[in-house]
Every structure is written in C-alpha cells, then in structure tokens.
Amino acid sequence: MTLTQLFDLSLIDRQHESALEFEENSYSFGDIDRQSNQIAQLLLLKKIVAGDRLCLYLENSVDFISIYLACVKVGIIVVPINILYKDREINHISDDAAPKALIAAEPTGGELYWNVKHLIAESASMLEERPKSTLTGDSPAAIVYTSGTTGTSKGAVLSHNNFIANIINLITCWKMSSADRLLLGLPLFHVHGLANGMHCWLVAGFKLKLLVKYQHETAETAFTSFKPTIFFGVPTIYVRLLDRPAAIAKSIGSTVRLFVSGSAPLPPQVMQDFKAKYGSTILERYGMTETLMNISNPYVGERRPGTVGFPLPGMSVKIIKPDGHEAAIDEEGELHVKGPNVFEGYWKRPDATAEAFEGGYFKTGDMCVVSEDGYYTLRGRKSDLIISSGYNIYPREIEEFLLEQAEIAEAAVVGVPDQVKGEIPVAYLVTKSDVDINSLQELCKQSLAAFKVPKKFVIVDHLPRTALGKVQKHLLPK
C-alpha cells in the first residue's frame, strides 16, 4: 500500500466533508484531492516523473499540501526545505538532491526556481483525473535533510512504508478519529508537522486548522475560535502558553483532550505547571527525522515528567554502553532503534549510512536510560547538538562559517541553557585582529537561518584542547 491509497480514506471516502481551514478559507477533502490531481498532471506535462526530486521552499499553506500530495501520487520525491534557510543552505540541499525544480514564493535557487502562485494558476486548466502510478510501499516519498555532527547536511530518504508505519502508530496510540480537531502551527517542512500532523489528518479525517506559523500573540484567538481537541507543540510553545491568564488557560484546556510535545526535551517543571494551569498533562514523545516517532508516553496511563515513555508498536530498542555491551536498568548508553518507521539510509551517502547502523539498528546518538518499569529517559546527545526552540543546530556548521572570516583564527560554538528556547548558541572566538561583533552577527544573519545565529560572541585567548587537538568545550569559560 502507498500513502495515496491510505489518504483515500479521506480524499475519496470523505470527499464532501469539511477538511481544512486556512486563513479565511475552508476546503473539503474533495477540493484538496482535485487540486492535487491537477498539479500532478501539470508536473507530468513538465516532464517531472516518478523518482525525480522536487524541492519545496514554502511556508505552511494549502499550496504546500496540494503540491506535496501531487508528488506523492506521481512518485516524485519531495525535498522540503526549512523556510528560515538562506541561499548558502538552500544551495547545498539543491546541489545534493539534484531536483528538477525548486518551488518557492520568491526567487531563489537560481535556474531551478518556480514561482508557486504561477504553478497553481497554470494547474487550474489541467484535468482533474488522478495520474496512474506503479509505486509500492518501498518507494521513496521524501528526502528530509538533517545536519550531522560534521556540519554536512544529509538527506534522510523516507519511504511510503516509513510514513505509513508512523501514521498507524500515532492514530492508534493517541486515539485519533474523524471527530477530532487539530490546530497545527508547526512547519510542514519538518517531520513533526508533516508526518505527525498533516499525514494523520489525511488518514483519520478530522478537521484541521492550519496556521502559516505559530505566533504567540495570535494563539489565543486560534484556540478559542477553533476549539481544537488536539494540539502539537514544542517546549518553547508550552513555556509561552504558561503566560496566559488563568481563565483563558482553563477555557483552552477544557476543549483540548491531547497536548503533545516533541522536537526537544520538555522540562518536568513546565509539564507540572501546565497541568496545574490548563488541567491537562502534556504527552511527551521522542522521534527523529531519520526514524519519525520511536517512543511515546501512553495516552492511557501515567505520562511521567522527564521521560518519553515506551517504544511504539513494532519498535525494537536497546541501550548500548560505550564498551559495546547492552546497558542494564538505569544504566546510561546510546539508544539504538529498529522498526518499520526507520529510514533505510542517507541520499547518496553510503558511508554515512553504514556508519549510522549497527546490527540492523539505527544509532540515534541520544544517550538514554530505562527504568525498571519500562519508561525511557533521554540524557542528552552523544554529540554536542544544540536544540533551540525545537530546531536542531550542529555547532560545526556555524564554526566553519565563522572560520571563513579573515579576522577569526579559531571558533567553538556551544549551547547555553535558556529558559524559553531550551538552548541558545554561543560562539567562542580566537581572533587574528580586531572584530566588530555587530558586523559579525549581521554577517551570520545574512548566511545562516536565524535560529543558528550565535546570540553572544565571546573573545578568548585560546580554546582548550586535548593532546590530540580536540577542543574541550566543557572547559570553556561559562
């Protein structure tokens, strides 16, 4: 079975039902199906076929959904790009994925650029007939790029089966049904919004209110007017929601049956404060770009603060100590996972793929312990990954950019705890000559996504290193 066949539970069987609210407009499942069919016909007319790649550099919109569905129907591999990325980052992805085109709202990607509004307008004249395909569950559906500790962005190839396993698990374990209402402000270019939000909506057939992006200032109106039963967020969002007046919090909590948190660790105190104010215990879960969802606190049962719960159905997990042996109860090691949701490898990176697996298990790079009663608790990254507002930041990428500047001799970027964002990047610099910090920060803003720009630059005489020359970041001044 393919994603399209599973989506037909709503696209065809619920075609006349109200499916989506976006900005001031409403759409039925049939509306979305027909528009995506027209786009699919247009892409075929433009000689983009199954196996070709198509980059989407778009904010959340109905256009994103329709283009994505068109690609899934044809077998075109979608390459979503973070809308916060700048030319430097976009060019790396487009060079690596070698797409036929890059669809965006404004010119970017050079000759690959297609304007999204022009594409949608052009597709309006196409037939509404769905194109035929010969896809299988093993066919790739998307390549989602995730940075590695070396700073080199790698494309995780996710198949129809990977996404389907994720959908079935979440709909089952979180009791999603057509009676639900999901408020979704997470970006569709990220697997959190795409695989957990958009995919589950298309299969369960509930009502979706899609936001261009989540904004704290307008969130209250969205909650109170739409009255969702399900909400997906990252810890930063829940921290900000605690600022709401008690009466508003009680009103929102009375309609939402399930608040889910992911993409970064949720502080136990936030979970406890949220329960007290909203009357609902946040469900924390754990996933990755390469694996989608792996572990989740139970819908029925104790949602234990500080933990991510139990392995989802079909998941095999084990914790491996540095010496290669499996860890005992309450003993820390690296979490390894195996299951139908786990990708098969990185795009055009056989060496990186081989390195990522061991004995059929994917090495997550996350340190973890398991309690005697089976709850898994993450202890941090094996590497020095920084997670800020749910976004992954790999210091090496920023360090390499800083080292391109003539005034900088050495650079080390670390994550510093932040009450709202979880962590923020801070850069330690050894300079060759005087550096204008304001100019350097502005240069970073021009070349890196906003969440990657160091929030502080610290000039030091030297970086602490081991005898082999490796920077000892834990010895940097606080």
Side-chain angles (χ1 to χ4, degrees), residues 43-349:
L43 294 176
L44 288 171
L45 185 64
K46 292 179 177 292
K47 308 299 183 185
I48 302 182
V49 298
D52 288 338
R53 276 76 60 206
L54 190 67
C55 288
L56 301 187
Y57 182 67
L58 298 169
E59 291 184 321
N60 287 0
S61 64
V62 179
D63 295 341
F64 185 111
I65 293 172
S66 295
I67 296 169
Y68 178 85
L69 285 175
C71 292
V72 167
K73 290 174 178 180
V74 172
I76 298 165
I77 304 171
V78 178
V79 184
I81 300 178
N82 189 326
I83 197 66
L84 299 179
Y85 280 1
K86 304 294 176 64
D87 286 349
R88 176 189 180 93
E89 298 150 311
I90 296 168
N91 291 340
H92 168 73
I93 292 175
S94 61
D95 288 345
D96 190 66
K100 286 293 186 72
L102 187 154
I103 300 174
E106 301 291 341
T108 190
E111 296 180 357
L112 294 173
Y113 167 70
W114 284 1
N115 179 273
V116 63
K117 294 303 180 186
H118 292 169
L119 181 74
I120 297 299
E122 191 177 357
S123 69
S125 63
M126 302 301 295
L127 294 174
E128 295 179 358
E129 181 182 349
R130 180 179 294 181
K132 293 181 172 58
S133 71
T134 56
L135 305 175
T136 70
D138 292 324
S139 299
I143 300 175
V144 184
Y145 277 78
T146 179
S147 298
T149 54
T150 61
T152 303
S153 186
K154 302 187 294 291
V157 183
L158 296 167
S159 70
H160 286 249
N161 277 339
N162 292 150
F163 283 125
I164 288 171
N166 189 72
I167 295 165
I168 293 172
N169 271 348
L170 299 192
I171 287 178
T172 303
C173 293
W174 296 349
K175 298 188 69 173
M176 296 183 186
S177 74
S178 59
D180 278 311
R181 297 167 67 83
L182 172 65
L183 176 63
L184 186 63
L186 298 173
L188 296 179
F189 59 70
H190 191 283
V191 293
H192 194 164
L194 180 72
N196 297 2
M198 179 175 144
H199 282 182
C200 289
W201 158 64
L202 285 168
V203 176
F206 47 71
K207 185 73 170 288
L208 171 69
K209 183 175 181 61
L210 181 68
L211 307 177
V212 175
K213 60 182 177 181
Y214 180 87
Q215 294 179 301
H216 181 65
E217 298 74 17
T218 58
E220 182 180 313
T221 301
F223 273 109
T224 56
S225 62
F226 184 66
K227 292 181 171 47
T229 61
I230 302 175
F231 178 75
F232 295 156
V234 298
T236 304
I237 290 176
Y238 291 112
V239 170
R240 298 295 300 276
L241 282 173
L242 289 174
D243 295 338
R244 295 295 181 190
I248 295 297
K250 184 177 180 180
S251 175
I252 292 173
S254 68
T255 63
V256 181
R257 68 169 181 85
L258 178 62
F259 290 97
V260 181
S261 180
S263 295
L266 179 70
Q269 189 61 50
V270 173
M271 189 173 181
Q272 293 163 14
D273 292 346
F274 195 88
K275 167 68 173 176
K277 195 163 193 176
Y278 283 79
S280 181
T281 302
I282 298 169
L283 187 152
E284 187 172 11
R285 85 305 179 276
Y286 163 70
M288 300 181 70
T289 299
E290 293 95 334
T291 66
L292 306 175
M293 294 303 103
N294 301 309
I295 302 174
S296 172
N297 267 279
Y299 182 80
V300 177
E302 180 191 3
R303 300 175 193 174
R304 187 172 297 175
T307 78
V308 290
F310 306 98
L312 287 163
M315 289 300 304
S316 297
V317 304
K318 56 185 179 180
I319 299 173
I320 303 299
K321 298 186 296 183
D323 62 9
H325 292 96
E326 194 161 351
I329 299 299
D330 293 324
E331 193 172 18
E332 185 174 298
E334 182 184 9
L335 184 67
H336 292 197
V337 300
K338 180 173 68 173
N341 53 304
V342 179
F343 81 139
E344 289 192 1
Y346 295 107
W347 175 255
K348 298 194 302 186
R349 297 289 297 274

Side-chain angles (χ1 to χ4, degrees), residues 351-401:
D351 292 345
T353 299
E355 174 62 26
F357 287 86
E358 184 175 294
Y361 283 75
F362 176 70
K363 300 184 291 184
T364 67
D366 286 304
M367 303 303 287
C368 187
V369 297
V370 62
S371 66
E372 190 171 6
D373 58 351
Y375 280 83
Y376 284 76
T377 301
L378 299 178
R379 290 286 177 82
R381 289 292 293 175
K382 188 177 180 180
S383 66
D384 56 357
L385 172 72
I386 301 168
I387 301 180
S388 183
S389 296
Y391 290 112
N392 289 353
I393 302 173
Y394 288 89
R396 180 66 179 274
E397 181 183 9
I398 306 170
E399 291 164 358
E400 289 177 350
F401 174 73

Side-chain angles (χ1 to χ4, degrees), residues 401-402 425 435-448 453-457:
F401 174 73
L402 291 171
V435 175
D436 184 331
I437 297 300
N438 291 332
S439 297
L440 180 60
Q441 190 165 48
E442 189 59 36
L443 195 60
C444 288
K445 289 178 180 177
Q446 294 171 9
S447 299
L448 299 170
V453 177
K455 301 303 180 283
K456 186 177 179 64
F457 295 84

